[in-house]
Amino acid sequence: MMSDSKTHSGSCHCGAVAYEVTTGLDGLIECNCSHCYRKGFVLTFVQPDAFKVLKEGPQTQYLFNSHKIHHRFCQTCGVQTFARGESPNGPMIAINVRTLTDVEPFDWTAERVDGRSF
Ligand SMILES: [Zn+2]
């Protein structure tokens, strides 16, 4: 239902980190792995060329597992807006859909993914 590709704005809570992403908001997922579940992520994945960082305030990087995904969160408000990682098809960006500022909360549906069992 949200398949028209549009450029959306996103930011952390305090606004130190801001970005733009062009996406149709298809294929959203919620994952129950130890990390996604704790952070309450709703994610969509895009190619790097669909993504632009507008403001990159001080962030802390959190790495775990195979260290393939660079989880960075705002040092001031603690919100993680996006993550850079590698997929079998090359670099990808995971967008935390909950940090898009022009998308109505709950105006989307996300599929539940059993990341805990992977
Ligand atoms: Zn912030």
Side-chain angles (χ1 to χ4, degrees):
M1 44 171 205
M2 277 194 162
S3 46
D4 284 340
S5 225
K6 277 206 305 204
T7 300
H8 297 280
S9 306
S11 69
C12 68
H13 193 260
C14 73
V17 180
Y19 67 95
E20 268 179 5
V21 61
T22 303
T23 171
L25 290 173
D26 295 310
L28 306 191
I29 64 152
E30 282 186 285
C31 172
N32 65 0
C33 83
S34 59
H35 185 253
C36 290
Y37 188 77
R38 275 177 175 74
K39 290 193 173 173
F41 283 150
V42 172
L43 297 173
T44 189
F45 298 91
V46 300
Q47 304 287 317
D49 60 0
F51 175 75
K52 192 163 79 177
V53 176
L54 303 177
K55 259 173 94 181
E56 198 148 25
Q59 291 167 80
T60 299
Q61 177 158 277
Y62 179 56
L63 297 171
F64 61 98
N65 233 348
S66 55
H67 289 201
K68 278 194 183 131
I69 305 177
H70 294 245
H71 294 280
R72 286 157 62 82
F73 57 90
C74 174
Q75 279 182 12
T76 303
C77 68
V79 171
Q80 183 174 341
T81 45
F82 62 87
R84 294 180 194 275
E86 290 291 326
S87 78
N89 306 315
M92 61 91 195
I93 314 286
I95 302 293
N96 180 3
V97 171
R98 293 186 190 271
T99 64
L100 294 173
T101 52
D102 58 356
V103 173
E104 202 57 39
F106 305 133
D107 220 6
W108 37 260
T109 46
E111 189 190 331
R112 288 186 169 171
V113 170
D114 187 15
R116 192 157 290 208
S117 310
F118 290 165

